[in-house]
Amino acid sequence: MPLSYSAAYSSRITKPKTKIPLLRRSTSSPFAALPRRKPVQRSKSKPEDVDADDDLFGDRLDDAGLVASLANDLSLRDVAQVIQYVGNHMFDEVPERGGMNSTRIAEVLNFRKSLPPIVTVAHVHAMIVSPTVAEKEIAELMKAGIIRKVVVPGRGVGGASVGEGLVLAKHWDLMINEASELEEDLKRWFIEILRSNPTVLVLPRAVFRSQEASGLMRAGFLTSSSHLGNSQDVFSSSDAAARGTLTSISSISRAASGSLAAVGGEGVFHEAGGGSGALRRGSSRTGDDSEREYQHLVQKGGDLCLSLPTTGPYLRLLVSARGHLMSLLAKSKFREAPLYLLRERWDGGIAADDAASRSKKARGEFVGILPGRTRKWKQFYGLSFDWVLAECLGAGLVEVFETGSVGRGVRAAS
C-alpha cells in the first residue's frame, strides 16, 4: 500500500455547494426571485354621468322652507324692470382664457345679438313673490303700451308655456326700425298700428295690403295663424296636428306626384311652426312669387299673429337648456342637490380663477377644463345658470328651498 494513499478520497463527508444568487443568469429580470402575486381585480369605475359628490349626500336634504322668489336685486320694483334685468343677465361674460379662438367668440357674440329680447312669463313669475300680482301688473302695463306680449301656440299651456313671453315696447319698435328689408313708410305705419292696439296679439288680414303683409312676414314680424288650432284637438284625428297647412293629409293627397306640394311645399318647415315664423325666401324670389304666396295664405283663411325675428332659435335654446338642467338634477339620488353643486355641474367643472388655481396650473397640476370645452359654451353659448334656474322654477319644473346647512337646495318637482 503506497504511502500517498489516504482516506480523503473515500470520505463520505461532503460540503454543500455555495449558491450565489447575484451570479445566476437563468433569467434576465432581477425581480424574478421575488414572490409572485396574482393581479388584483379592480372594480369597474363609475359611469361618467354619476358624480362622486353624490356620495356626500346619501340622505335627503333638510327642507327649511321654499324660496318664493329668486330676485337678488332689491331695486326691481315692477315687471318692466324685471324684464330689463333678466334680458341683461341672460348670458355670462366671455372669459379671457376660455380656450376659444376669435372665430368662436365672434360666433357666440353674434348669436347672442341675434336673439329677440323676449322674457317668458314663467321667468317673471320666478322673480316676483306673488304670481297674481305679476299678472295684474302685466295687464296694466300692456294697456299702457309699455310692454307687449308675444305668443307662439303649441309650446305648452299656462305657466309652463315656453312660447308665451313679454317684450318691452321700446325694444319691439327698435327691432322694427333696424329691419333693413322694410321700407321706412312701412316701418312707421306698422309701429303706429302696434301703438294704437297695445293689447292685440292677432291682427285681421284686412288691415294689411298684400305687399305690406308679405314684407312683414318675410322680416319675421308677422306669421300666419291659419295652421294654429286648439291644442286639445291635436290628437282628435290623424290630420288634426297639421290641419290647415300644406302638410295635412288632405292637401298632400290632392297634389301631383313628384311635385313640391306632395311633400308639403317649399315653406313647409316654417308653416309647421319652425324657425321664427317668417317666410324665408332666397334672393331669387320675385314680387310675383310673394304675391302668390300671400294670396295662398289668404285662401287658407285665418288672421296674422304678431311675432319677432329669430324667435325659433330662442325657443330651441330655452327648451334644450331646461332639459339639460333637469338631466343634471336627475344624477342625484333623490333628484335633489345643493345649489352650489348644481351650479358646478352646469358650468362643467371649469378651472377657478384664483391664486391657488393659477399656482396649480403653473406647476402642471390638473385644475379643471377650459370653459370653451364645456357644453355651457359649446351648445348654450354661455347661458347663465341663474337664468336657466329661474326658467325652470317659474315653469314649475323645480323647487328651490332652504336647507339650513349647505345653503339653498334644488329638487325636481314631482
Side-chain angles (χ1 to χ4, degrees):
M1 180 175 179
L3 297 177
S4 61
Y5 182 83
S6 66
Y9 293 100
S10 61
S11 176
R12 297 182 179 179
I13 302 173
T14 58
K15 282 187 176 182
K17 295 182 179 180
T18 304
K19 297 182 180 180
I20 304 177
L22 296 179
L23 298 180
R24 295 179 62 183
R25 293 292 183 266
S26 60
T27 178
S28 60
S29 175
F31 304 100
L34 298 178
R36 296 184 179 183
R37 296 179 181 178
K38 294 184 178 180
V40 179
Q41 297 293 335
R42 300 182 181 274
S43 61
K44 296 183 179 180
S45 59
K46 295 183 178 180
E48 296 181 356
D49 58 346
V50 177
D51 294 339
D53 295 332
D54 293 339
D55 298 336
L56 301 178
F57 306 98
D59 199 359
R60 290 184 179 274
L61 299 175
D62 296 333
D63 189 353
L66 296 177
V67 177
S69 174
L70 294 180
N72 298 323
D73 193 348
L74 300 179
S75 63
L76 302 178
R77 296 184 298 272
D78 55 4
V79 175
Q81 292 184 354
V82 170
I83 295 175
Q84 184 76 30
Y85 176 84
V86 172
N88 295 336
H89 295 79
M90 182 176 179
F91 295 97
D92 291 337
E93 296 183 359
V94 179
E96 296 181 358
R97 300 177 180 179
M100 296 180 289
N101 54 19
S102 59
T103 303
R104 177 56 183 171
I105 294 177
E107 182 182 353
V108 170
L109 297 178
N110 290 333
F111 177 81
R112 294 180 178 184
K113 186 178 180 181
S114 65
L115 294 180
I118 299 177
V119 176
T120 61
V121 177
H123 201 135
V124 175
H125 288 173
M127 303 295 290
I128 297 179
V129 177
S130 176
T132 304
V133 175
E135 288 295 336
K136 292 181 179 179
E137 189 173 353
I138 289 173
E140 293 176 358
L141 293 177
M142 289 182 62
K143 292 180 180 179
I146 299 177
I147 63 175
R148 297 193 63 88
K149 181 180 288 188
V150 55
V151 177
V152 181
R155 299 279 183 164
V157 181
S161 175
V162 177
E164 186 175 357
L166 303 173
V167 184
L168 294 177
K170 60 180 182 180
H171 292 167
W172 199 307
D173 297 344
L174 181 61
M175 293 189 67
I176 296 175
N177 291 323
E178 291 180 351
S180 58
E181 58 269 27
L182 298 179
E183 299 179 357
E184 294 298 329
D185 295 338
L186 180 58
K187 294 179 183 178
R188 290 191 294 266
W189 177 79
F190 187 54
I191 291 176
E192 291 296 330
I193 292 293
L194 296 180
R195 291 178 179 176
S196 59
N197 302 277
T199 60
V200 173
L201 303 178
V202 180
L203 295 173
R205 295 181 183 270
V207 177
F208 304 93
R209 292 179 296 181
S210 60
Q211 296 180 354
E212 296 171 348
S214 60
L216 291 171
M217 293 177 74
R218 284 198 305 270
F221 294 101
L222 289 178
T223 182
S224 176
S225 62
S226 59
H227 64 278
L228 304 178
N230 190 356
S231 59
Q232 299 177 355
D233 299 334
V234 173
F235 302 101
S236 59
S237 64
S238 60
D239 198 21
R243 186 183 294 119
T245 66
L246 291 176
T247 57
S248 62
I249 298 176
S250 58
S251 300
I252 294 177
S253 61
R254 293 193 300 266
S257 177
S259 62
L260 285 176
V263 294
E266 185 174 354
V268 56
F269 175 76
H270 299 282
E271 286 189 359
S276 63
L279 297 178
R280 304 291 183 181
R281 296 184 178 87
S283 58
S284 60
R285 300 299 294 269
T286 61
D288 295 338
D289 296 332
S290 302
E291 179 68 20
R292 286 194 298 268
E293 188 164 357
Y294 177 74
Q295 292 299 331
H296 173 70
L297 294 175
V298 171
Q299 293 174 3
K300 291 195 300 182
D303 298 324
L304 297 175
C305 293
L306 297 178
S307 179
L308 286 176
T310 64
T311 303
Y314 172 84
L315 295 176
R316 288 192 292 270
L317 177 67
L318 175 58
V319 172
S320 59
R322 284 184 179 181
H324 181 54
L325 185 66
M326 296 304 297
S327 66
L328 295 178
L329 193 60
K331 293 181 178 181
S332 300
K333 184 177 181 180
F334 300 101
R335 300 181 65 191
E336 62 180 18
L339 183 62
Y340 76 89
L341 178 60
L342 190 60
R343 185 189 300 273
E344 291 179 0
R345 292 176 181 175
W346 175 265
D347 293 338
I350 61 176
D353 191 12
D354 53 3
S357 298
R358 288 193 294 268
S359 300
K360 289 182 179 179
K361 187 176 181 180
R363 293 193 301 267
E365 300 179 6
F366 177 77
V367 293
I369 62 177
L370 295 175
R373 297 185 178 182
T374 61
R375 182 177 294 185
K376 173 182 177 180
W377 289 96
K378 294 174 63 176
Q379 181 178 352
F380 302 116
Y381 301 90
L383 201 60
S384 173
F385 168 77
D386 295 328
W387 189 91
V388 182
L389 179 63
E391 284 288 341
C392 294
L393 177 63
L397 300 177
V398 300
E399 294 177 348
V400 181
F401 58 95
E402 296 288 349
T403 63
S405 56
V406 292
R408 290 181 174 181
V410 183
R411 62 167 169 257
S414 57

